Amino acid sequence: MGTSGIWSQLGSLMASVMFVYAMYEQFFPHHLRIYLKKYTKKFSSLMYPYIQITFPEFSGERLKRSEAYTAIKTYLSANSSQRAKRLKAEVVKDSQNPIVLTMDDNEEIIDEFQGVKVWWSANYKMPSSQTISWYPSSDEKRFLTLTVHKRHRDLITSSYIQHVLDEGKAITVQNRTLKLYTNNPGSDWYGYKRTKWSHVNFEHPSRFETLAMDPKKKEEIINDLVKFQTGKEYYAKVGKAWKRGYLLYGPPGTGKSSMIAAMANFMNYDVYDLELTAVKENTELKKLLIETSSKSIIVIEDIDCSLDLTGQRKKEKKKDEDEDEEKPKNPSKKSEEEEKKASKVTLSGLLNFIDGIWSACGGERVIIFTTNYVEKLDPALIRRGRMDKHIEMSYCGYEAFKVLAKNYLDVESHSLFPTIEKLLGETNMAPADVAESLMPKSIVEDSESCLKNLIESIEEAKKKAEEEAKKKAKEDEEVAVTKEEEVKANGKSAEGVKENGTIH
């Protein structure tokens, strides 16, 4: 039989099928057709050994994209799309990889989980022209379809889907651009929505590798962070909220802010810089906490200067009231406005913020306080359970200097190192001052010149510290002499009174 014969038979067959279908549509009652279609599907499902699970792009709230769809798409893009033949490029905001390749429409890829093969396909459906669409940018209804053999139903529904969702969310977090947030004044309005936090991209370059600190201490902090980040099940087991508090204390310039940035970059967490003086009251503090996301670091820098939280506020208020009683009662308009603007956040409110019931809203949060004077803080504020780990940011030691020398000069050893080690052991110098001395001031300045500059700076700091110590010792001696003279004078006065028998 020739080609023409095959085509003629195929045409006759198609015509016969169309004729039968037309007769079926015309003479079979509507309810009978529905009945027949229903059982035809049941019969085909018995013969077809695969099941299909559909994940629509929009579900529930029609204007909100499905989180499951987004997570699955991210997972497939990172793990399986390299095997797809047709890809689609998309621009993703707030991501380290702005252009993401995903499989194109009607494309299919294969994934494997515990030895079981599954098939993913990207599909779309155009609604009828009569349908009113609620979808924001297009009338197309997109969805991802998972196909798997029905004997693996339990494995796929109980383990694989959750695995895909978790992996997709983890990839999204890993690739996102970190944000630095700050709280807005409570009365501000931005557009139609009141916003508690505003943000910029967090691009601080500090890393633990570049942090000037003793390596053992640095390793201890890193291990503690890793234990916290991977401790979700442990925290649930012991009945604690998944959060951890760190107190960074030490003199100015010892790297407290750099430590916070290094923590954020290491853990891939956003940073919320909380300005307590801009918070009106305890209720607003709770609202700020609720609007922070998980996987974040909440920072209150210079906690001892932010607000008076040590019980001294009442004493100062009483003192001010006593002074006001002596002065004419004529309060100015300016003082009234200042009183309205003053924060009413209390120590109790801050303690509830740290480890109260509201602190358990959301998980995987780190709370950090910084201070230059840890002795000024209320013990209740920094006890274990609130500030779980206290980290002293001390003056620059020799090990920290070697890190700075490697960072700034790319030098790991030098003949001047022993001299610097000896001087740093005798003098208190902040890492920030050491780093400034090591930084080349011109393009022709070499590493040896920078090291000599550092030696000069340390010697000057040592000389200045000695002079201040002598000055203080002299002042203390003068005060002691004055007190001794006052005691002698008071003693002679008391003896004179006793001899005369007179009481004044």
Side-chain angles (χ1 to χ4, degrees):
M1 184 183 293
T3 305
S4 58
I6 294 174
W7 280 108
S8 63
Q9 286 189 5
L10 183 60
S12 300
L13 180 62
M14 291 291 293
S16 300
V17 170
M18 293 179 67
F19 174 76
V20 171
Y21 181 75
M23 296 295 292
Y24 165 79
E25 286 287 327
Q26 185 172 358
F27 294 104
F28 271 67
H30 178 68
H31 67 279
L32 188 60
R33 293 203 304 269
I34 294 175
Y35 184 81
L36 186 61
K37 186 182 292 184
K38 176 181 177 181
Y39 281 92
T40 301
K41 285 185 177 181
K42 283 188 176 182
F43 177 75
S44 61
S45 65
L46 290 174
M47 301 298 293
Y48 188 67
Y50 296 94
I51 60 171
Q52 291 185 333
I53 304 174
T54 300
F55 299 88
E57 183 177 10
F58 295 93
S59 61
E61 298 179 19
R62 295 186 176 183
L63 297 179
K64 186 176 181 181
R65 198 177 196 189
S66 168
E67 292 183 4
Y69 179 92
T70 303
I72 294 171
K73 194 172 181 181
T74 302
Y75 169 83
L76 295 176
S77 174
N79 293 280
S80 305
S81 289
Q82 61 269 25
R83 295 192 291 272
K85 294 181 179 179
R86 292 183 295 114
L87 298 171
K88 179 169 56 178
E90 294 183 351
V91 178
V92 180
K93 294 182 179 179
D94 298 331
S95 175
Q96 296 178 6
N97 302 318
I99 299 179
V100 177
L101 297 178
T102 58
M103 58 180 177
D104 202 358
D105 296 330
N106 299 320
E107 180 69 1
E108 184 179 81
I109 56 176
I110 301 174
D111 193 23
E112 190 170 333
F113 179 72
Q114 296 183 10
V116 176
K117 283 187 177 182
V118 299
W119 290 263
W120 285 99
S121 60
N123 307 292
Y124 70 95
K125 180 181 179 182
M126 293 293 294
S128 60
S129 56
Q130 292 84 6
T131 304
I132 300 175
S133 174
W134 292 91
Y135 293 85
S137 59
S138 173
D139 288 339
E140 297 176 350
K141 294 183 179 180
R142 298 181 179 276
F143 53 93
L144 295 168
T145 302
L146 168 63
T147 304
V148 64
H149 199 283
K150 58 185 177 182
R151 67 170 172 265
H152 303 302
R153 176 194 292 266
D154 292 339
L155 175 67
I156 297 305
T157 55
S158 63
S159 301
Y160 175 68
I161 293 177
Q162 189 60 49
H163 163 75
V164 171
L165 294 177
D166 292 341
E167 286 292 313
K169 291 176 182 177
I171 293 169
T172 301
V173 171
Q174 191 66 32
N175 292 336
R176 70 194 173 109
T177 301
L178 299 184
K179 297 289 192 298
L180 174 61
Y181 292 84
T182 185
N183 53 304
N184 298 312
S187 58
D188 283 1
W189 287 77
Y190 292 83
Y192 68 93
K193 185 179 180 181
R194 193 173 187 174
T195 306
K196 292 291 182 185
W197 298 94
S198 58
H199 70 268
V200 295
N201 287 344
F202 182 74
E203 298 175 345
H204 200 293
S206 178
R207 300 285 191 278
F208 275 108
E209 295 81 6
T210 63
L211 205 60
M213 179 181 283
D214 182 82
K216 292 182 180 178
K217 195 172 183 179
K218 192 187 299 185
E219 185 178 359
E220 179 187 342
I221 296 169
I222 292 174
N223 291 338
D224 191 78
L225 292 172
V226 171
K227 186 177 179 181
F228 165 76
Q229 197 171 21
T230 58
K232 181 179 181 179
E233 294 180 358
Y234 176 78
Y235 276 81
K237 176 185 175 183
V238 299
K240 288 184 65 176
W242 192 15
K243 62 179 182 60
R244 191 156 178 80
Y246 291 86
L247 175 67
L248 307 183
Y249 66 96
T254 51
K256 293 184 285 295
S257 297
S258 296
M259 169 64 78
I260 294 170
M263 285 181 169
N265 287 322
F266 176 76
M267 304 180 79
N268 205 38
Y269 282 8
D270 291 328
V271 178
Y272 288 83
D273 183 15
L274 178 59
E275 179 57 56
L276 279 180
T277 55
V279 183
K280 293 296 181 184
E281 55 189 2
N282 294 335
T283 303
E284 186 177 342
L285 192 61
K286 291 177 183 177
K287 292 178 181 177
L288 285 167
L289 176 64
I290 292 171
E291 292 194 16
T292 60
S293 63
S294 59
K295 297 184 182 295
S296 62
I297 297 176
I298 302 173
V299 180
I300 303 179
E301 294 198 270
D302 298 322
I303 183 67
D304 54 304
C305 302
S306 297
L307 290 175
D308 187 359
L309 299 167
T310 60
Q312 298 298 321
R313 180 184 294 177
K314 293 181 179 179
K315 296 179 182 178
E316 291 180 0
K317 185 177 181 182
K318 186 176 180 182
K319 182 180 177 182
D320 292 340
E321 289 175 353
D322 293 339
E323 291 177 356
D324 290 341
E325 288 178 1
E326 297 175 2
K327 296 178 182 179
K329 294 186 178 180
N330 185 22
S332 63
K333 186 176 180 181
K334 183 178 180 181
S335 62
E336 290 177 0
E337 291 177 355
E338 289 177 353
E339 181 67 24
K340 289 179 181 178
K341 292 180 180 178
S343 175
K344 294 184 176 63
V345 174
T346 63
L347 176 60
S348 175
L350 187 58
L351 295 182
N352 287 329
F353 175 85
I354 300 169
D355 69 345
I357 295 176
W358 288 95
S359 67
C361 299
E364 203 170 353
R365 286 195 184 99
V366 172
I367 301 174
I368 299 179
F369 288 169
T370 71
T371 180
N372 296 333
Y373 308 100
V374 67
E375 65 278 359
K376 290 185 178 181
L377 298 179
D378 193 303
L381 190 64
I382 59 175
R383 69 163 174 80
R384 305 295 177 176
R386 288 179 177 138
M387 293 295 104
D388 304 285
K389 190 170 183 61
H390 296 188
I391 302 173
E392 182 180 5
M393 307 297 291
S394 57
Y395 291 107
C396 186
Y398 180 60
E399 294 297 329
F401 155 73
K402 289 197 293 185
V403 174
L404 292 173
K406 180 71 171 67
N407 293 342
Y408 283 81
L409 305 176
D410 201 21
V411 173
E412 296 184 4
S413 63
H414 196 276
S415 58
L416 295 175
F417 275 24
T419 305
I420 295 172
E421 181 180 8
K422 181 176 180 296
L423 288 171
L424 287 176
E426 301 169 347
T427 311
N428 290 333
M429 196 170 189
D433 296 327
V434 174
E436 180 60 28
S437 299
L438 288 176
M439 184 177 290
K441 304 302 185 293
S442 65
I443 57 175
V444 296
E445 195 170 12
D446 59 6
S447 58
E448 185 169 348
S449 300
C450 294
L451 292 173
K452 288 180 179 179
N453 291 338
L454 175 60
I455 292 173
E456 291 177 4
S457 299
I458 299 175
E459 289 175 343
E460 289 177 6
K462 182 181 179 181
K463 184 178 179 181
K464 186 177 179 181
E466 290 174 350
E467 290 176 353
E468 289 180 353
K470 289 179 181 178
K471 184 178 178 181
K472 189 176 185 304
K474 186 177 179 181
E475 290 175 352
D476 291 343
E477 186 179 351
E478 291 176 353
V479 170
V481 170
T482 303
K483 286 183 178 180
E484 187 177 352
E485 291 176 350
E486 289 178 355
V487 169
K488 289 180 179 180
N490 291 335
K492 289 179 180 181
S493 176
E495 288 177 3
V497 170
K498 187 175 181 181
E499 290 175 359
N500 295 330
T502 306
I503 298 177
H504 296 284

